[in-house]
Amino acid sequence: MKNNIDAKNDSMIAFTGGQILTMDSEQKYVETVVIKESHIVDVGDRSLLKAYPDAEIHDLKGRVLLPAFIDSHNHLSSFGCFFPTWANLIGLTEKESVMEEIQLHARKKPGKGWIVGFGWFDAKIGGFDLTKNDLDEIISDRPVLLIQATFHQSVVNSQALELVGITRSTPEPRCGIILRESNGMPTGVLVEYAQVPVFRLVMEADTETLANLIEARAKELLKFGITAVHDPGVTPAAEAAYQKLHDEERLPVSVLMMPHGETVLDNQLGYRLHGPVTGVGDEKLRVGPVKLFADGATAETVAFSLKIGGQTINSGNYRDDFEEMLFAATEKGFRVCVHSFGNATTDAVLTAFENAVTRAPAGFEMRPRLEHVTLISTSQIKRLAAMGGCACIQPQFLSRAQNTKQVVLDDGKWYAYGDLVKGGVTVASGSDNPGGFMDARDPIEGSVMGSTMSDGAGNVIFPDQVLPFEQWLWMYTAGGTYAGGQEKERGMLKKGMVADLVVLEGNLDPKNPPVVSETWVAGKKVYDHRVLGI
């Protein structure tokens, strides 16, 4: 790494003089942590310093030391690294504002290449609907793509439809929808897998370019105290870029690669299942669970079964291509992570995991992992816990949870974060960046939203699901390591663990939360808010 503030790596450093939270259930608090080179060599009370007389003392001066954060759901390579090159539409809910931003972006990028905007809110999430006609009115001589904030729906102009060959006669793709006019002509709106042909063109890059984009985006995480990510949806191209960064010692953060298809939303892993399996790699770059999509994030592509007032209302559909790949991946010795928003989807996913047990290699720990779980029942939580499963949740979605609060269910709960933990499921937390409705990369902000179950504007949504602030910090550290199978290398201040650390200024209080003061990667200080003037 070349962005270090402290160049020393062979010295021994002892952290003391503040509150030290280890995230280790066997020894929750200590007074001293000693690191040598890239790992923790000892933890204990202050008397420990006598055993290390040559250690350089790093006085915390009353600050808080804990393991560095893990963003357990960050789309760093699949589209996060491209986001800075696109028009940022997040938070723009007026059509005129979005159109102006797209036109401005086009002027900044002259030529005939793609114009891409991300973060468009359609009418269902508080914005407005668009078609190809709207985009044609402002730009008709080059392809335009606007990606909805969830990444599960897009709208393109006529030029883009022509480039990818989507016409009146194009059949509906498996697990996707091409919205059409009454005469069968595409409206320009593409849902779920129907977006894949466009994504292939827009996010095509050679290995060097992709590596540079990933590196630049990853460096931004250090100011948030994040030193490791789980990338849910690593394509073969992204895997090659990560390997290049690793080989050249250019990875700013540790990465758990979650293998995926040729592009995001593609469940067909094909030959990748014959490559390195879950766990292969080292502390800087490791293969994680395969990432599959069981549903999407739109009304049509999320399967709900809502029991209200004694009646059952079913809506949406889950994908029909995840189960076969879950079985195939398990047989090859991969763990599997499944995107599952709806409760009916989750039921199908849990059944698939239960049926996959007999297909797993002898002695293989499946550790089923679910992403998002917006609506889940007590019985489903019990099923997941019984399999030693885990869930990765994103508190930023509480920012749009007011409407779900109005839907009182007979069975199941929305955003049942507290129930998951109390039900014995290990829970990790992440951002879903850049997806969603805000820049959710800051784990402190996420922990505030989660520990208060609020929408970020002071409105408490589901008070019965509140968990302590420190529990949320645990989800961003030790919880993430369990979800990623990394519990023997990071996420706790414990002897033998990687010396990835974060120092916080302030109290662990969601009403007046702390800020990141320092970030350390493998024993090196890589961020200091005093040095960078932040």
Side-chain angles (χ1 to χ4, degrees):
M1 294 179 62
K2 300 178 181 178
N3 59 334
N4 300 309
I5 293 170
D6 285 356
K8 302 177 193 175
N9 191 39
D10 55 353
S11 60
M12 184 175 290
I13 304 173
F15 294 81
T16 194
Q19 181 182 358
I20 301 178
L21 183 58
T22 68
M23 302 301 176
D24 179 5
S25 60
E26 297 179 358
Q27 194 175 18
K28 189 174 180 180
Y29 296 101
V30 296
E31 295 177 335
T32 303
V33 172
V34 182
I35 66 173
K36 180 175 174 57
E37 296 179 351
S38 59
H39 287 75
I40 297 171
V41 295
D42 217 341
V43 299
D45 60 30
R46 192 171 174 82
S47 66
L48 192 66
L49 295 173
K50 297 177 183 178
Y52 301 97
D54 296 328
E56 174 188 341
I57 304 298
H58 189 81
D59 188 356
L60 294 171
K61 298 180 179 179
R63 295 174 296 172
V64 182
L65 178 72
L66 53 147
F69 298 124
I70 300 167
D71 187 339
S72 295
H73 194 107
N74 187 304
H75 293 278
L76 183 58
S77 68
S78 54
F79 62 105
C81 65
F82 293 98
F83 180 52
T85 69
W86 298 341
N88 184 353
L89 308 179
I90 296 175
L92 302 181
T93 56
E94 299 296 329
K95 181 177 179 179
E96 292 76 15
S97 299
V98 168
M99 295 298 148
E100 288 175 5
E101 187 64 30
I102 292 299
Q103 289 174 300
L104 175 62
H105 189 68
R107 289 195 292 271
K108 291 178 179 178
K109 291 181 172 290
K112 295 296 181 180
W114 282 87
I115 294 299
V116 183
F118 176 78
W120 158 54
F121 287 10
D122 67 351
K124 292 174 182 174
I125 55 175
F128 50 91
D129 292 332
L130 293 171
T131 69
K132 64 182 180 184
N133 297 329
D134 296 298
L135 300 183
D136 288 345
E137 286 181 7
I138 60 169
I139 301 176
S140 60
D141 60 344
R142 58 194 297 192
V144 179
L145 164 67
L146 268 59
I147 306 170
Q148 191 233 41
T150 67
F151 214 79
H152 290 270
Q153 178 175 310
S154 297
V155 61
V156 297
N157 68 351
S158 296
Q159 180 81 280
L161 288 173
E162 183 177 340
L163 270 178
V164 298
I166 296 178
T167 66
R168 181 188 305 186
S169 60
T170 302
E172 288 293 285
R174 184 181 183 184
C175 303
I177 303 169
I178 301 172
L179 267 62
R180 302 176 190 271
E181 299 169 357
S182 58
N183 63 2
M185 289 296 292
T187 66
V189 177
L190 308 173
V191 180
E192 201 62 24
Y193 193 78
Q195 302 171 99
V196 165
V198 182
F199 289 167
R200 283 200 183 105
L201 291 180
V202 167
M203 287 174 274
E204 184 179 22
D206 60 69
T207 302
E208 177 66 27
T209 299
L210 186 54
N212 291 340
L213 289 170
I214 291 171
E215 180 184 20
R217 185 69 171 173
K219 285 179 179 178
E220 297 178 16
L221 299 174
L222 299 174
K223 66 183 178 183
F224 298 112
I226 297 169
T227 66
V229 301
H230 297 175
D231 187 338
V234 177
T235 66
E239 195 161 354
Y242 274 133
Q243 193 61 56
K244 179 179 178 63
L245 289 169
H246 174 271
D247 293 346
E248 297 175 1
E249 299 184 355
R250 292 167 52 199
L251 271 176
V253 298
S254 297
V255 176
L256 186 76
M257 302 183 293
M258 300 167 73
H260 196 49
E262 291 292 329
T263 188
V264 67
L265 302 179
D266 182 5
N267 279 346
Q268 302 308 308
L269 278 84
Y271 68 88
R272 180 59 187 84
L273 291 183
H274 300 284
V277 299
T278 301
V280 172
D282 58 27
E283 293 170 344
K284 203 67 182 175
L285 184 67
R286 194 178 297 284
V287 179
V290 160
K291 169 65 184 296
L292 300 175
F293 286 88
D295 62 7
T298 66
E300 307 93 340
T301 62
V302 176
F304 285 117
S305 182
L306 308 178
K307 296 181 179 179
I308 304 173
Q311 295 184 327
T312 300
I313 302 172
N314 297 316
S315 68
N317 297 288
Y318 53 79
R319 294 176 62 146
D320 65 2
D321 64 346
F322 77 89
E323 185 180 60
E324 60 193 75
M325 200 55 61
L326 189 155
F327 290 164
T330 302
E331 289 171 354
K332 292 291 186 179
F334 286 89
R335 286 178 177 166
V336 179
C337 161
V338 183
H339 168 116
S340 182
F341 260 98
N343 63 328
T345 306
T346 294
D347 219 49
V349 172
L350 290 172
T351 298
F353 273 122
E354 289 162 349
N355 291 337
V357 171
T358 58
R359 301 168 183 262
F364 179 66
E365 183 190 358
M366 287 176 52
R367 199 175 290 189
R369 173 170 169 172
L370 301 185
E371 302 294 293
H372 308 306
V373 289
T374 303
L375 175 62
I376 193 167
S377 68
T378 300
S379 62
Q380 290 172 334
I381 291 173
K382 289 179 179 178
R383 290 169 68 188
L384 182 58
M387 290 188 281
C390 52
C392 180
I393 57 180
Q394 298 75 40
Q396 69 139 313
F397 291 118
L398 290 169
S399 66
R400 294 273 165 167
Q402 283 282 11
N403 290 339
T404 57
K405 183 180 180 179
Q406 313 306 318
V407 184
V408 181
L409 305 172
D410 299 342
D411 182 37
K413 290 185 179 179
W414 302 102
Y415 304 95
Y417 301 158
D419 286 0
L420 281 163
V421 171
K422 295 167 187 173
V425 174
T426 300
V427 179
S429 190
S431 66
D432 203 16
N433 184 260
F437 312 111
M438 56 185 284
D439 184 344
R441 289 177 293 175
D442 184 1
I444 299 296
E445 184 178 16
S447 296
V448 169
M449 291 180 73
S451 62
T452 58
M453 289 304 289
S454 65
D455 60 4
N459 302 307
V460 177
I461 312 296
F462 299 107
D464 63 315
Q465 297 301 318
V466 164
L467 293 166
F469 186 69
E470 288 189 15
Q471 176 69 39
W472 276 89
L473 296 178
W474 185 92
M475 288 188 245
Y476 276 106
T477 51
T481 64
Y482 183 85
Q486 304 160 289
E487 64 269 25
K488 294 183 179 180
E489 71 180 46
R490 66 178 66 250
M492 291 179 282
L493 302 183
K494 189 175 182 178
K495 186 175 180 179
M497 296 289 183
V498 176
D500 281 11
L501 319 168
V502 64
V503 178
L504 303 180
E505 184 92 47
N507 297 322
L508 301 182
D509 180 4
K511 294 180 181 179
N512 185 25
V515 297
V516 172
S517 179
E518 298 174 9
T519 304
W520 294 66
V521 173
K524 294 181 181 181
K525 184 162 60 175
V526 295
Y527 171 77
D528 188 324
H529 76 106
R530 295 165 297 186
V531 173
L532 300 182
I534 297 176

